[in-house]
Amino acid sequence: QTMKQFKLWVHQHTFSENELIVNPKEFPDCKEGDVFEIYDPGEPVKAVRLLLQINNFIPDFQQKDTISILHSVANQFQLRTYWDVQVNKVDPKDVGIELAEILIKDQYLSRNDMWRLSKALDNTCVYVNKKVSSCGIRCQIYELWTKGEKVSCGVINKDTRIVYRSLTAQVFLFIQMSQEMWDFDLNGDLYFEKTIHGFLYELFSKWKEQNATHEVTIVLFSRTFYDAKFIEDFPPERRPCILQDSYRRFYEDFYHVVIQREKRDDWLPVLVTLKHHFTQYPKYINCYHDEPGVPAGCNSTAFDGNILEAYNLTMNIFEKHFVDRTFDRTGQTTVIVTPGPGVFEVDRSLTSIIKQRMVDSGVATDLVCMAEQPLHSVPLFKFRNKDLGQGVSLGDDYNIAHWVNHSFYSSANAKTQQDEFVPRIKV
């Protein structure tokens, strides 16, 4: 239903909390909950158009041929006072939202709270950056999607998928300091430089842009293999820390905590600290090699690294999240940055334990690879063959870890250079 043009007014929160105020006499057939499309008739057809909903009528507003919208909404959609605007009544089904992303900050939301908030937002008109307060929950609309495209406003209905994004989550960031960190990538940068100046710089910049205040813990980890054949080659005080893998190699896992449970508005200065620890890290893992009686050791590759052990460390903390809970943060996630391509040789039983613990806890897990993406599915876990005795053994088998969210990072220089597809192999 097309209406005539109206003169636009704006009002403040002190006058009314309603985003749209209309004269009931001008809209005799309208009722509370109706959605209207407001736009400048002189703009192109594809221009952004504002959708607002009538929450209730104000009998005191008797201005003829005039509508009033909230001042903050008018500024966001660049609508000026006393403009002539076109007002059309639209069907909420025609402007329904398929996906809505909602930001929450400085509060704890359980699954029950998210369900109640989703029900409260049903059949409501929203727009990007709109602040919503319902059921004691404060949140903000971040993104709206319809038919695979971003939109500025729309109506949330029962078919809308709502995704909650937390700006105050508990984040464990693990950086695998394997041999590849000191190797060069295809663009001539060290993988550690690619990690620091590329991935972490963009990640921390985005946190600063969104005013995120996550509680972050940063850990550097690696595995050192020792050139020893017997456990007696190590001093007695060192033997409890030495383990042996299926290949009968003696190794020791190292975890160096750089940042522990800190909240910052700007995480970019931490990059300088990480650079310092990068130069000193070989001394951390070789601190026992100069002692008499300690065999020489070398840093492992990402393939032989202790990635599952790092995951297990976070599970020890996340599975007790309900004990002494803090009510100013929501969500917990683990991010592991590796210089490898996402292929690891792991223990079969440990993989089953980690997978079950993650599924039970419902914890998000991300694996970010700095190397080039291989020509096969990843993340790929290799299990060593089983020896069944009597000369019978099974071959090595592989498993794709679907419970890990993996991605490959490409630097900005690599993105600009790759204007067209270049085949990596020639057949």
Short mmCIF file of all heavy atoms in Angstrom, two decimals, residues 223 225-230 243-251 300-301 303-305 344-348 381-387 394-398:
data_model
loop_
_atom_site.label_atom_id
_atom_site.label_comp_id
_atom_site.label_asym_id
_atom_site.label_seq_id
_atom_site.Cartn_x
_atom_site.Cartn_y
_atom_site.Cartn_z
N ARG A 223 57.74 -28.88 20.90
CA ARG A 223 58.22 -30.18 21.38
C ARG A 223 59.68 -30.33 20.97
O ARG A 223 60.05 -30.02 19.83
CB ARG A 223 57.39 -31.31 20.80
CG ARG A 223 57.93 -32.71 21.07
CD ARG A 223 56.92 -33.77 20.66
NE ARG A 223 55.75 -33.75 21.55
CZ ARG A 223 54.72 -34.56 21.44
NH1 ARG A 223 54.69 -35.47 20.44
NH2 ARG A 223 53.72 -34.50 22.29
N PHE A 225 62.89 -32.98 20.69
CA PHE A 225 63.34 -34.37 20.66
C PHE A 225 64.81 -34.42 21.08
O PHE A 225 65.62 -33.62 20.62
CB PHE A 225 63.17 -34.98 19.26
CG PHE A 225 61.75 -35.29 18.90
CD1 PHE A 225 61.06 -34.46 18.05
CD2 PHE A 225 61.12 -36.39 19.44
CE1 PHE A 225 59.75 -34.74 17.71
CE2 PHE A 225 59.81 -36.68 19.10
CZ PHE A 225 59.12 -35.85 18.24
N TYR A 226 65.13 -35.41 21.93
CA TYR A 226 66.49 -35.54 22.44
C TYR A 226 67.20 -36.70 21.75
O TYR A 226 66.59 -37.72 21.42
CB TYR A 226 66.48 -35.78 23.95
CG TYR A 226 66.04 -34.58 24.75
CD1 TYR A 226 64.76 -34.52 25.30
CD2 TYR A 226 66.88 -33.50 24.93
CE1 TYR A 226 64.36 -33.43 26.04
CE2 TYR A 226 66.48 -32.39 25.66
CZ TYR A 226 65.22 -32.36 26.21
OH TYR A 226 64.82 -31.27 26.92
N ASP A 227 68.51 -36.50 21.56
CA ASP A 227 69.34 -37.53 20.95
C ASP A 227 69.81 -38.49 22.05
O ASP A 227 70.93 -38.42 22.55
CB ASP A 227 70.54 -36.88 20.25
CG ASP A 227 71.37 -37.89 19.48
OD1 ASP A 227 70.88 -39.03 19.30
OD2 ASP A 227 72.49 -37.53 19.06
N ALA A 228 68.89 -39.39 22.44
CA ALA A 228 69.18 -40.35 23.51
C ALA A 228 68.50 -41.66 23.18
O ALA A 228 67.46 -41.70 22.52
CB ALA A 228 68.70 -39.82 24.86
N LYS A 229 69.11 -42.75 23.66
CA LYS A 229 68.57 -44.08 23.42
C LYS A 229 67.97 -44.70 24.68
O LYS A 229 67.14 -45.60 24.58
CB LYS A 229 69.66 -45.00 22.88
CG LYS A 229 70.19 -44.56 21.50
CD LYS A 229 71.22 -45.55 20.99
CE LYS A 229 71.72 -45.13 19.60
NZ LYS A 229 72.73 -46.08 19.06
N PHE A 230 68.40 -44.21 25.84
CA PHE A 230 67.90 -44.77 27.09
C PHE A 230 67.54 -43.63 28.03
O PHE A 230 68.14 -42.53 27.97
CB PHE A 230 68.95 -45.69 27.75
CG PHE A 230 69.42 -46.80 26.84
CD1 PHE A 230 70.62 -46.66 26.15
CD2 PHE A 230 68.68 -47.95 26.67
CE1 PHE A 230 71.07 -47.66 25.31
CE2 PHE A 230 69.12 -48.96 25.82
CZ PHE A 230 70.31 -48.82 25.13
N LEU A 243 59.41 -37.94 28.09
CA LEU A 243 58.46 -38.93 27.61
C LEU A 243 59.01 -39.63 26.38
O LEU A 243 60.02 -39.19 25.80
CB LEU A 243 57.11 -38.27 27.28
CG LEU A 243 56.42 -37.54 28.43
CD1 LEU A 243 55.18 -36.83 27.94
CD2 LEU A 243 56.09 -38.48 29.57
N GLN A 244 58.34 -40.71 25.97
CA GLN A 244 58.79 -41.48 24.82
C GLN A 244 57.60 -41.75 23.91
O GLN A 244 56.52 -42.16 24.38
CB GLN A 244 59.43 -42.80 25.27
CG GLN A 244 60.21 -43.52 24.18
CD GLN A 244 60.94 -44.74 24.72
OE1 GLN A 244 60.60 -45.25 25.78
NE2 GLN A 244 61.96 -45.20 24.00
N ASP A 245 57.78 -41.52 22.60
CA ASP A 245 56.68 -41.71 21.67
C ASP A 245 56.68 -43.14 21.11
O ASP A 245 57.47 -44.00 21.54
CB ASP A 245 56.74 -40.67 20.54
CG ASP A 245 58.00 -40.81 19.71
OD1 ASP A 245 58.81 -41.72 19.97
OD2 ASP A 245 58.18 -40.00 18.78
N SER A 246 55.81 -43.40 20.13
CA SER A 246 55.68 -44.73 19.56
C SER A 246 56.91 -45.14 18.76
O SER A 246 57.12 -46.33 18.51
CB SER A 246 54.44 -44.81 18.67
OG SER A 246 54.51 -43.82 17.64
N TYR A 247 57.71 -44.18 18.35
CA TYR A 247 58.96 -44.48 17.64
C TYR A 247 60.14 -44.63 18.60
O TYR A 247 61.29 -44.67 18.16
CB TYR A 247 59.27 -43.38 16.63
CG TYR A 247 58.25 -43.27 15.52
CD1 TYR A 247 57.27 -42.29 15.55
CD2 TYR A 247 58.27 -44.15 14.43
CE1 TYR A 247 56.33 -42.16 14.53
CE2 TYR A 247 57.34 -44.04 13.41
CZ TYR A 247 56.37 -43.05 13.47
OH TYR A 247 55.45 -42.95 12.46
N ARG A 248 59.85 -44.64 19.89
CA ARG A 248 60.85 -44.77 20.95
C ARG A 248 61.82 -43.58 20.97
O ARG A 248 62.98 -43.72 21.33
CB ARG A 248 61.64 -46.10 20.82
CG ARG A 248 60.74 -47.33 20.88
CD ARG A 248 61.54 -48.62 20.93
NE ARG A 248 60.66 -49.77 20.98
CZ ARG A 248 60.08 -50.23 22.10
NH1 ARG A 248 60.30 -49.60 23.24
NH2 ARG A 248 59.29 -51.28 22.06
N ARG A 249 61.32 -42.43 20.55
CA ARG A 249 62.11 -41.20 20.64
C ARG A 249 61.77 -40.49 21.95
O ARG A 249 60.60 -40.39 22.32
CB ARG A 249 61.80 -40.28 19.46
CG ARG A 249 62.21 -40.84 18.11
CD ARG A 249 61.80 -39.89 16.98
NE ARG A 249 60.35 -39.69 16.93
CZ ARG A 249 59.75 -38.92 16.03
NH1 ARG A 249 60.46 -38.27 15.12
NH2 ARG A 249 58.43 -38.79 16.05
N PHE A 250 62.80 -40.00 22.61
CA PHE A 250 62.60 -39.27 23.86
C PHE A 250 62.34 -37.80 23.53
O PHE A 250 63.03 -37.20 22.71
CB PHE A 250 63.83 -39.40 24.76
CG PHE A 250 64.01 -40.79 25.32
CD1 PHE A 250 64.90 -41.69 24.70
CD2 PHE A 250 63.31 -41.21 26.43
CE1 PHE A 250 65.07 -42.97 25.20
CE2 PHE A 250 63.47 -42.50 26.93
CZ PHE A 250 64.36 -43.37 26.31
N TYR A 251 61.33 -37.24 24.18
CA TYR A 251 60.96 -35.84 23.90
C TYR A 251 60.46 -35.17 25.16
O TYR A 251 60.19 -35.82 26.19
CB TYR A 251 59.86 -35.79 22.82
CG TYR A 251 58.53 -36.34 23.25
CD1 TYR A 251 57.57 -35.51 23.84
CD2 TYR A 251 58.23 -37.69 23.09
CE1 TYR A 251 56.35 -36.00 24.24
CE2 TYR A 251 57.00 -38.19 23.49
CZ TYR A 251 56.06 -37.34 24.07
OH TYR A 251 54.85 -37.83 24.47
N SER A 300 61.06 -29.87 17.13
CA SER A 300 60.31 -30.75 16.22
C SER A 300 59.66 -29.93 15.11
O SER A 300 59.59 -28.70 15.16
CB SER A 300 59.25 -31.52 16.99
OG SER A 300 58.21 -30.64 17.40
N THR A 301 59.17 -30.63 14.12
CA THR A 301 58.38 -30.00 13.07
C THR A 301 56.93 -29.90 13.54
O THR A 301 56.54 -30.48 14.56
CB THR A 301 58.44 -30.81 11.77
OG1 THR A 301 57.91 -32.14 12.02
CG2 THR A 301 59.88 -30.93 11.28
N PHE A 303 54.48 -31.23 12.13
CA PHE A 303 53.89 -32.56 11.95
C PHE A 303 54.03 -33.41 13.20
O PHE A 303 53.11 -34.15 13.57
CB PHE A 303 54.56 -33.24 10.75
CG PHE A 303 54.10 -34.64 10.50
CD1 PHE A 303 52.86 -34.90 9.94
CD2 PHE A 303 54.91 -35.72 10.84
CE1 PHE A 303 52.44 -36.21 9.71
CE2 PHE A 303 54.50 -37.02 10.62
CZ PHE A 303 53.26 -37.26 10.06
N ASP A 304 55.17 -33.31 13.88
CA ASP A 304 55.43 -34.10 15.08
C ASP A 304 55.15 -33.32 16.36
O ASP A 304 55.54 -33.75 17.45
CB ASP A 304 56.90 -34.56 15.10
CG ASP A 304 57.20 -35.54 13.99
OD1 ASP A 304 56.34 -36.40 13.73
OD2 ASP A 304 58.28 -35.44 13.38
N GLY A 305 54.49 -32.21 16.25
CA GLY A 305 54.30 -31.34 17.41
C GLY A 305 53.26 -31.84 18.40
O GLY A 305 52.60 -32.87 18.20
N PHE A 344 49.14 -33.61 11.00
CA PHE A 344 49.80 -33.92 12.26
C PHE A 344 49.77 -35.42 12.50
O PHE A 344 48.81 -36.11 12.14
CB PHE A 344 49.11 -33.22 13.44
CG PHE A 344 48.96 -31.73 13.27
CD1 PHE A 344 47.78 -31.19 12.76
CD2 PHE A 344 49.99 -30.87 13.60
CE1 PHE A 344 47.63 -29.84 12.60
CE2 PHE A 344 49.85 -29.50 13.43
CZ PHE A 344 48.67 -28.98 12.93
N GLU A 345 50.85 -35.91 13.09
CA GLU A 345 50.89 -37.30 13.55
C GLU A 345 50.58 -37.30 15.03
O GLU A 345 51.31 -36.69 15.83
CB GLU A 345 52.24 -37.95 13.28
CG GLU A 345 52.28 -39.41 13.67
CD GLU A 345 53.53 -40.12 13.19
OE1 GLU A 345 54.46 -39.44 12.72
OE2 GLU A 345 53.58 -41.36 13.30
N VAL A 346 49.50 -37.95 15.41
CA VAL A 346 49.00 -37.88 16.78
C VAL A 346 48.73 -39.28 17.30
O VAL A 346 48.74 -40.27 16.56
CB VAL A 346 47.71 -37.03 16.84
CG1 VAL A 346 48.00 -35.59 16.45
CG2 VAL A 346 46.63 -37.63 15.93
N ASP A 347 48.46 -39.33 18.59
CA ASP A 347 48.13 -40.59 19.25
C ASP A 347 46.64 -40.86 19.08
O ASP A 347 45.80 -39.97 19.23
CB ASP A 347 48.49 -40.51 20.73
CG ASP A 347 48.20 -41.81 21.45
OD1 ASP A 347 48.93 -42.79 21.23
OD2 ASP A 347 47.21 -41.84 22.22
N ARG A 348 46.31 -42.09 18.78
CA ARG A 348 44.92 -42.45 18.49
C ARG A 348 44.02 -42.27 19.72
O ARG A 348 42.93 -41.68 19.64
CB ARG A 348 44.86 -43.89 18.00
CG ARG A 348 43.49 -44.30 17.46
CD ARG A 348 43.49 -45.80 17.18
NE ARG A 348 44.58 -46.17 16.29
CZ ARG A 348 44.47 -46.21 14.96
NH1 ARG A 348 43.33 -45.89 14.39
NH2 ARG A 348 45.50 -46.56 14.22
N PHE A 381 44.84 -35.96 10.56
CA PHE A 381 45.57 -36.61 11.64
C PHE A 381 46.03 -37.99 11.17
O PHE A 381 45.23 -38.79 10.67
CB PHE A 381 44.71 -36.76 12.89
CG PHE A 381 44.43 -35.46 13.59
CD1 PHE A 381 43.45 -35.38 14.56
CD2 PHE A 381 45.15 -34.32 13.28
CE1 PHE A 381 43.19 -34.19 15.21
CE2 PHE A 381 44.91 -33.12 13.92
CZ PHE A 381 43.93 -33.06 14.89
N LYS A 382 47.31 -38.25 11.35
CA LYS A 382 47.88 -39.57 11.00
C LYS A 382 48.05 -40.39 12.26
O LYS A 382 48.63 -39.93 13.25
CB LYS A 382 49.22 -39.40 10.30
CG LYS A 382 49.90 -40.73 9.98
CD LYS A 382 51.33 -40.55 9.51
CE LYS A 382 52.02 -41.89 9.34
NZ LYS A 382 53.45 -41.76 8.97
N PHE A 383 47.55 -41.62 12.22
CA PHE A 383 47.71 -42.56 13.32
C PHE A 383 48.73 -43.62 12.92
O PHE A 383 48.65 -44.18 11.82
CB PHE A 383 46.39 -43.24 13.67
CG PHE A 383 45.29 -42.28 14.03
CD1 PHE A 383 44.02 -42.43 13.49
CD2 PHE A 383 45.53 -41.23 14.87
CE1 PHE A 383 43.01 -41.56 13.82
CE2 PHE A 383 44.53 -40.34 15.20
CZ PHE A 383 43.26 -40.50 14.68
N ARG A 384 49.68 -43.88 13.81
CA ARG A 384 50.68 -44.90 13.52
C ARG A 384 50.05 -46.28 13.54
O ARG A 384 49.07 -46.53 14.24
CB ARG A 384 51.83 -44.82 14.53
CG ARG A 384 53.03 -45.67 14.13
CD ARG A 384 54.26 -45.30 14.96
NE ARG A 384 55.41 -46.09 14.56
CZ ARG A 384 55.82 -47.18 15.21
NH1 ARG A 384 55.18 -47.58 16.28
NH2 ARG A 384 56.89 -47.83 14.80
N ASN A 385 50.61 -47.20 12.74
CA ASN A 385 50.04 -48.53 12.60
C ASN A 385 50.02 -49.28 13.92
O ASN A 385 50.85 -49.07 14.80
CB ASN A 385 50.82 -49.34 11.57
CG ASN A 385 52.28 -49.50 11.96
OD1 ASN A 385 52.79 -48.76 12.78
ND2 ASN A 385 52.94 -50.48 11.38
N LYS A 386 49.02 -50.11 14.05
CA LYS A 386 48.88 -50.93 15.26
C LYS A 386 49.58 -52.27 15.09
O LYS A 386 49.42 -52.94 14.08
CB LYS A 386 47.39 -51.18 15.55
CG LYS A 386 46.66 -50.00 16.15
CD LYS A 386 45.25 -50.41 16.53
CE LYS A 386 44.54 -49.28 17.23
NZ LYS A 386 43.16 -49.68 17.62
N ASP A 387 50.36 -52.65 16.06
CA ASP A 387 51.03 -53.94 16.05
C ASP A 387 50.18 -54.92 16.87
O ASP A 387 50.07 -54.80 18.09
CB ASP A 387 52.43 -53.82 16.65
CG ASP A 387 53.23 -55.10 16.45
OD1 ASP A 387 52.68 -56.04 15.85
OD2 ASP A 387 54.39 -55.13 16.88
N LEU A 394 48.69 -53.52 11.34
CA LEU A 394 47.83 -52.74 10.46
C LEU A 394 48.62 -51.56 9.88
O LEU A 394 49.52 -51.03 10.53
CB LEU A 394 46.61 -52.21 11.22
CG LEU A 394 45.67 -53.28 11.81
CD1 LEU A 394 44.54 -52.61 12.59
CD2 LEU A 394 45.11 -54.15 10.70
N GLY A 395 48.25 -51.14 8.70
CA GLY A 395 48.92 -50.00 8.09
C GLY A 395 48.50 -48.69 8.73
O GLY A 395 47.54 -48.62 9.50
N ASP A 396 49.27 -47.66 8.42
CA ASP A 396 48.94 -46.34 8.94
C ASP A 396 47.60 -45.89 8.38
O ASP A 396 47.28 -46.09 7.21
CB ASP A 396 50.02 -45.32 8.55
CG ASP A 396 51.35 -45.65 9.20
OD1 ASP A 396 51.35 -46.37 10.22
OD2 ASP A 396 52.40 -45.21 8.69
N ASP A 397 46.79 -45.27 9.23
CA ASP A 397 45.51 -44.74 8.78
C ASP A 397 45.41 -43.27 9.15
O ASP A 397 46.17 -42.77 9.99
CB ASP A 397 44.34 -45.54 9.35
CG ASP A 397 44.40 -45.62 10.86
OD1 ASP A 397 45.48 -45.42 11.42
OD2 ASP A 397 43.35 -45.87 11.48
N TYR A 398 44.46 -42.59 8.53
CA TYR A 398 44.31 -41.15 8.67
C TYR A 398 42.88 -40.81 9.07
O TYR A 398 41.94 -41.57 8.82
CB TYR A 398 44.66 -40.44 7.36
CG TYR A 398 46.09 -40.66 6.91
CD1 TYR A 398 46.46 -41.80 6.21
CD2 TYR A 398 47.08 -39.72 7.21
CE1 TYR A 398 47.77 -42.01 5.80
CE2 TYR A 398 48.39 -39.92 6.81
CZ TYR A 398 48.73 -41.06 6.11
OH TYR A 398 50.03 -41.26 5.71
#
